[in-house]
Amino acid sequence: HNMIHTLNGIQKLTTLGILRLSDNKLEASPTSKSSNIGKYFDSLVNLEVLMLDGNHISSIPALQLFKLKNLKALSLRNNE
């Protein structure tokens, strides 16, 4: 419950394996271009676990997870 709404700077964490961002104010939707968090995941190539429960995510394609080849677990419970 940190009220995080942007992921600026996270792109530098290229060795990150687990990312827990549950219960924040993150958005991912086809209509939300300015605050869409999907653009921040491109460089997290070592990410294996991504937890985004309890945010404002209404579109999985908007997350742009196709570059996360090592992703093994994705949690999106309680989103829009």
Side-chain angles (χ1 to χ4, degrees):
H1 299 274
N2 294 310
M3 301 188 107
I4 296 171
H5 59 87
T6 184
L7 297 176
N8 288 333
I10 201 167
Q11 305 93 318
K12 297 175 184 176
L13 304 175
T14 57
T15 60
L16 193 64
I18 298 172
L19 183 56
R20 294 184 181 106
L21 291 167
S22 297
D23 299 312
N24 283 288
K25 303 270 184 200
L26 299 171
E27 293 183 25
S29 73
T31 57
S32 173
K33 302 294 184 210
S34 61
S35 59
N36 201 333
I37 62 169
K39 62 186 173 188
Y40 296 105
F41 295 132
D42 285 357
S43 61
L44 304 181
V45 294
N46 291 305
L47 198 62
E48 293 183 1
V49 177
L50 179 56
M51 299 175 77
L52 295 169
D53 305 307
N55 283 286
H56 301 283
I57 298 168
S58 62
S59 171
I60 293 173
L63 286 174
Q64 303 174 15
L65 301 176
F66 58 90
K67 291 188 179 179
L68 302 181
K69 304 294 185 201
N70 292 314
L71 192 64
K72 295 178 178 139
L74 173 64
S75 186
L76 292 167
R77 288 177 285 185
N78 299 322
N79 277 285
E80 294 180 356

